[in-house]
Amino acid sequence: MRLIPLLFAAFSAAMLGLAAGAVWMLPTMALQRPLPALAPLVGALLALAIRSWVRPAGRVAAVLAAGATVLAAAYVDVLTAAARIAGSMGIGLLDALRGAGLTMLLSLAELAVRPTGIAFTLAGALLAGWIASRQPRKAS
């Protein structure tokens, strides 16, 4: 396997994971509570996208899909921490992201993680890996 296509696939999977995390943020903020139960759904959608557009079904696609799911879950936690800072201080989200910095946001996100969130994230990553490793069904 060549290195450049693999790096491009990893970059593409990471960008899909970040986009999924940003979309996941919308219902989280609308309901004003964490929604870890969305992790399997996000994982399944990421697996389908990665299997269809980034890498063909197989082990590499499975690892990329599982990683993208975990990245999406972490990203939604970081964005939630930034939104809480922004709301508490009366500033914009981008100002909160810039002002707090990645280290502080990761620390705050880590404090907010619950065991159920970890369980749902792992379930989503496993589901994503399983879906991405399987060949799509052929229409008959």
Side-chain angles (χ1 to χ4, degrees):
M1 184 178 308
R2 294 188 180 152
L3 182 62
I4 299 297
L6 184 60
L7 288 175
F8 184 71
F11 177 77
S12 298
M15 293 301 105
L16 285 170
L18 291 174
V23 171
W24 188 351
M25 176 70 173
L26 296 173
T28 300
M29 285 295 100
L31 297 175
Q32 296 182 354
R33 63 184 185 93
L35 297 173
L38 290 179
L41 174 64
V42 169
L45 293 174
L46 282 169
L48 292 173
I50 288 170
R51 184 179 73 184
S52 298
W53 300 322
V54 177
R55 295 286 303 173
R59 290 183 187 160
V60 175
V63 169
L64 291 174
T69 303
V70 172
L71 181 62
Y75 189 54
V76 76
D77 289 342
V78 167
L79 286 176
T80 302
R84 289 175 195 236
I85 291 172
S88 296
M89 299 182 72
I91 60 176
L93 182 62
L94 291 178
D95 292 331
L97 285 167
R98 272 189 237 118
L102 183 60
T103 307
M104 181 179 182
L105 291 173
L106 286 172
S107 296
L108 290 172
E110 182 182 353
L111 289 173
V113 172
R114 301 284 178 247
T116 55
I118 294 171
F120 275 115
T121 299
L122 289 176
L126 289 172
L127 179 64
W130 181 71
I131 291 172
S133 67
R134 299 176 49 96
Q135 293 291 332
R137 292 186 191 180
K138 301 288 183 195
S140 51

